[in-house]
């Protein structure tokens, strides 16, 4: 079934050209490194923005080695994109300057509008929107971090990766976007574009979801939303996007107190959890409850091939961990598959003493010293049609105390990477991050984590979180299969 | 209401004296550092066991600088405690030697008994128990790591802390016990005794729970159990223990697959989730689903004072984080308390521009540059009777990019520590552990985590986990208050 297209033809091309500015001016770019205006200039330099960056400051002759101008109109060249870091009462004046200068997108980092709860803040916000509309200027924000677009050298936070990747995000919170980018980066995610849009008075969740639905650089989409300016359009865009790419949605303000917090954050009307969850799931989106769960799901969707089967094979870790892994998998809705008889026969040929004892999860402590090994059992599960999904525990505290524990653990991780690359099934590697009591352990863990991330292997800090992410994967692809959008 | 005492007078004193051996023999203590017998000797040396350690090996003249003996009977002095690392078929012979030597406790690290599923393994296990009973020898295990008792210099894992503390644990899985000890240690937990008891054919969950219920060194008890040898006695012991100390229970094998994994791990009959959860909660125990949740609860019970109120005050992090924090708290059953009018009045005196805007959670980005600060709002909440519980977000990625971000974050953490020490309310500090993309960040995070752990402040990696741990805290103390066991 195909929707009648809700597309307004202008939206995608409009936003797309706005996100490709030839030049950027930063209003309020002070020489003081504590000021956000200063930091935007530095961040754009670090991100490698290729066009001119114009710092605007009433007195400073230069900022970070760039000639500064007393106001926007004093800039000699054209300015496509303006980042405002000046106090809210000065924003209307800025809009007039933008209009005269032919600016197309005004990103207002400037906050203290409707979210303050003061009537004059709300009034100023309405006035800002009206004047911008009259002048044909699009507004991003106010009260937001703006655009992170590594491919084009645009960023809003020091240290975010310069490399691009397939994950896109729209977020009403800059801080939450930053968490997703950094947490995700540590686990190998890279981003196409991230748009923090704050109060969303003009460019809103519906525009951005429509845009990302069509964006060829975005294969996985994350959405952090606190309220909807255009609920119906947003829902339609979500549905369209979910037909071609996984869309992971975290709704902030699901509870009474969360809704109150939303009011003072982006002044959105938060609405009720059940309603939102129903809408998101009906549209084929992936509903998550925390930012960690969002990153986990994005990791699974980015690095794992599509699958609809829930039968999981689990290897590694000791006996207690194997029991816990089985509970974790089944409690989130996966099926811990029984060992097929012919696999047991094959085991018998290698190590008869274990063949009837070992199960799924395959307990790594039973396998110690056996010619059967964790790696080999994983390979066998990878090649057998009884298993749709694989989870491989590094069990990092287990081999660490052995004299050759570090090289052995490295070899184990390399074997997992080899299997992940070879097999066309989702493989989730579990590498704990809290077990590292000693600095040398943290170093080795960091090295292994980096190796896994570089190899594009989906890695999770616990079996529970891995299992839940895999569950999201199969739920999404099942829906897509049912609705005929998965070949 | 008081139970009729289920106490068998001998149990506590019996186990207590068994856990205080004057000497330990390690059977199968080879010079090969890969072998577990070798490692037990080294671990006991590292842990500082004050009495003689006797390595037993058929040929080796010495192991790790200690004179070795060809068999137990060749040891000149008395032996109270024996650790067996020899293959299962030799265990009956060892029992005979133990009987002749007057050994009181035989800890069988040796595995491959009933858990293998082979009838001969089960037969051997029965025989082991019968012969030991006849000789008056208690068996710990088989198939377990044994005793970690730092105060007495006994340990079963390289690198576990030598300092003692108030947390006790009984665990059917050595690996899970190791995870709890290391994860907990990183967050400041130290342990009275940890007993890994494996198949539990003699010393079982009921004995150990009775023992820990009365153990004056144990203020918080963790239990990882896969099945019950003596369900009724265990339940009574649990109930008695929970009257005087929090008892946190993780049941392995709650699902079908988990139950099958239990069979090949400790050969216990796993039983059904609902039944177990009901029994544990009826006994006043704290039911958790994962090891992480167990450690979180142990952290809360160890470092936080008792309370029964659910009204939480939250500070720190940006706007999106504040929304997520509110949702996290309310979704686990806490109440995000509204700001009382007199607190708002006090805010007005300090910063009128924020007084009507700021809420609970108190958004750290709103407070930036204000004479009101995250620290000050926390102090005010700590001193106000409208708040029973406090959660303070370090928001570690937020100040890190400022030029003075590191000293500022250090100062913030010091302020949280000061408040935690002064106030008689639970204060949970949230310090993320996955945001550290860069090595220097990991170092600073590690330093801050250590400072919090050393100061005895309850610290959690996410708000969600902090909120859930606080929820366990109040649920437990409410039950104790209702049943008249809390003064």
């Amino acid at each position: 079934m195909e929707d009648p297209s809700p597309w307004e033809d202008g939206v995608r091309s409009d936003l797309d050209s706005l996100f490709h500015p030839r030049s950027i001016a930063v209003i309020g770019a002070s020489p003081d490194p504590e000021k956000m205006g200063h930091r935007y200039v530095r961040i754009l330099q670090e991100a490698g923005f290729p066009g001119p960056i114009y710092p605007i400051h009433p007195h400073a002759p230069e900022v970070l080695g760039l000639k500064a101008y007393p106001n926007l109109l004093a800039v000699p060249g054209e300015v496509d994109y303006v980042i405002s870091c000046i106090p809210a009462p000065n924003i209307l004046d800025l809009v007039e300057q933008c209009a005269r200068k032919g600016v197309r997108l005004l990103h207002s980092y400037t906050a203290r509008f409707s979210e303050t709860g003061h009537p004059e803040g709300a009034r100023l916000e309405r006035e800002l929107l009206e004047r911008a509309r009259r002048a044909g200027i699009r507004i991003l924000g106010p009260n937001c971090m703006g655009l992170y677009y590594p491919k084009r050298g645009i960023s809003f936070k020091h240290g975010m990766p310069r490399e691009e990747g397939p994950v896109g995000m729209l977020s009403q919170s800059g801080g939450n976007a930053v968490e997703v980018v950094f947490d995700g980066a540590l686990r190998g995610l890279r981003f196409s574009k991230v748009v923090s849009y704050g109060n969303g008075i003009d460019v809103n969740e519906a525009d951005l979801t429509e845009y990302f639905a069509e964006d060829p650089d975005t294969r996985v989409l994350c959405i952090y939303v606190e309220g909807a300016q255009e609920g119906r359009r947003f829902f339609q865009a979500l549905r369209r996007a979910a037909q071609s790419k996984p869309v992971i949605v975290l709704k902030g303000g699901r509870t009474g107190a969360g809704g109150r917090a939303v009011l003072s954050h982006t002044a959105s009307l938060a609405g009720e959890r059940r309603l939102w969850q129903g809408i998101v799931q009906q549209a084929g989106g992936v509903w998550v409850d925390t930012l960690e769960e969002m990153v986990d799901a994005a990791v699974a969707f980015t690095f794992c091939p599509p699958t609809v089967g829930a039968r999981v094979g689990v290897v590694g870790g000791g006996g207690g961990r194997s029991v816990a892994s089985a509970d974790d998998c089944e409690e989130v809705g996966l099926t811990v598959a029984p060992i097929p008889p012919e696999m047991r026969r094959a085991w018998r040929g290698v190590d008869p003493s274990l063949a009837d004892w070992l199960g799924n999860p395959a307990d790594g402590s039973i396998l110690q010293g056996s010619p059967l090994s964790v790696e080999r059992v994983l390979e066998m599960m990878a090649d057998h049609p009884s298993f749709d999904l694989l989870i491989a525990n590094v069990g990092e505290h287990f081999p660490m105390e052995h004299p050759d524990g570090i090289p052995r653990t490295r070899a184990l991780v390399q074997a997992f990477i080899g299997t992940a690359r070879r097999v066309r099934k989702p493989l989730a590697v579990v590498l704990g991050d809290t077990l590292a009591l000693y600095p040398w352990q943290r170093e080795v863990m960091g090295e292994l984590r980096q190796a896994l991330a570089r190899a594009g292997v989906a890695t999770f800090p616990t079996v529970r979180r891995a299992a839940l992410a895999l569950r999201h994967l199969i739920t999404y692809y099942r829906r897509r299969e049912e609705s005929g959008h998965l070949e």
Side-chain angles (χ1 to χ4, degrees), chain A residues 344-356:
Chain A
R344 236 180 243 296
R345 273 197 298 278
W347 288 356
R348 211 165 284 136
V350 185
D351 188 341
S353 74
L354 305 185
D356 296 313

Side-chain angles (χ1 to χ4, degrees), chain A residues 89-434:
Chain A
N90 303 329
I91 196 108
L92 298 182
D93 215 53
L94 178 61
V95 173
E96 296 313 313
Q97 289 186 39
C98 287
R100 285 165 63 190
K101 192 72 188 166
V103 169
R104 305 187 56 222
L105 180 66
L106 171 56
H107 155 218
S108 176
Y109 171 78
T110 300
R112 308 223 166 176
F113 291 93
S114 58
E115 77 276 12
T116 59
H118 293 303
E120 83 219 71
R123 191 197 50 73
L124 192 60
E125 191 174 277
R126 278 194 305 275
E127 185 79 19
L128 164 64
L129 179 60
E130 274 163 35
R131 294 206 193 179
R133 286 232 163 114
R134 276 204 301 272
I137 300 165
R138 300 295 306 258
I139 302 279
L140 187 58
N143 184 24
C144 71
M145 298 298 292
L147 181 63
Y148 167 51
Y149 187 3
K151 188 176 171 182
R152 301 288 288 197
I154 301 175
S155 179
F156 55 71
K157 188 81 179 178
H158 171 58
M160 296 209 297
R162 285 188 60 162
E163 311 92 62
E164 59 183 293
V167 183
M169 181 175 191
L170 55 118
S171 175
Q172 270 198 278
S173 157
N176 288 0
V178 165
E179 285 198 30
V180 168
V181 172
F182 279 113
D183 285 11
L186 196 62
R187 291 161 68 187
L189 295 186
R190 293 295 183 271
F191 296 81
S192 53
K193 294 179 194 75
V194 175
V195 186
S196 151
Y197 66 98
N199 298 9
I201 61 170
D202 178 23
V203 174
N204 64 27
E205 73 293 334
D207 295 325
L208 289 165
T209 304
E210 284 181 2
Y211 174 74
F212 275 112
E214 299 283 291
D215 181 31
D217 294 338
T218 299
R219 289 199 297 110
V220 176
L221 178 58
C222 295
I223 299 181
Y224 172 76
V225 66
E226 297 185 347
Q229 297 276 357
E230 295 182 79
R232 205 184 145 68
R233 235 184 95 218
F234 172 57
F235 168 64
Q236 286 172 330
L238 192 62
R239 191 163 163 184
R240 168 179 283 260
Q243 287 169 2
S244 63
K245 55 191 82 175
V247 184
I248 306 155
V249 180
L250 177 61
K251 166 68 176 72
R254 301 182 296 271
T255 64
R260 288 193 299 278
V262 160
L263 267 184
S264 63
H265 180 223
T266 59
S268 304
L269 288 171
E272 204 203 314
R273 180 196 168 101
R274 214 170 320 176
L275 182 75
W276 269 88
Q277 186 168 1
I279 284 177
V280 167
Q281 289 176 337
Q282 205 190 318
V286 177
W287 176 267
V288 295
D289 281 320
T290 64
L291 289 170
E292 297 81 61
E293 196 183 340
M294 172 171 271
V295 174
D296 289 343
V299 164
F301 283 110
T302 302
F303 297 127
C304 295
T307 189
V308 296
R311 298 166 306 167
V312 64
V314 186
V315 301
R321 166 49 62 201
S322 296
V323 171
S325 297
D327 286 337
D328 285 338
C329 288
E330 298 231 323
E331 284 181 348
V332 305
L334 304 182
T335 303
V336 178
I339 298 297
E342 65 275 20
M343 189 175 289
R344 236 180 243 296
R345 273 197 298 278
W347 288 356
R348 211 165 284 136
V350 185
D351 188 341
S353 74
L354 305 185
D356 296 313
W357 177 17
L358 197 68
N360 178 23
D363 175 343
S365 63
I366 292 178
L367 285 164
Q368 264 214 310
S370 163
L372 259 181
S373 64
V374 167
E375 297 92 312
R376 197 153 168 193
V377 172
L378 179 67
E379 281 288 309
M380 291 166 103
M381 288 174 169
D383 291 333
H384 198 285
S386 289
F387 301 90
D388 306 304
L389 308 162
L390 303 165
I391 295 179
N393 257 302
V394 176
E396 57 283 346
H397 68 288
F398 186 75
M400 292 297 259
E401 83 170 34
H402 290 261
D404 60 349
I406 296 176
R408 250 205 245 178
T409 307
R410 280 196 187 112
L412 186 71
V413 167
Q414 284 307 323
F416 291 168
I417 290 174
T419 304
R421 283 190 165 151
R422 190 177 60 74
V423 72
R424 296 296 304 157
K425 291 177 186 177
L427 190 162
V429 171
V430 177
L431 181 70
D433 61 354
T434 52

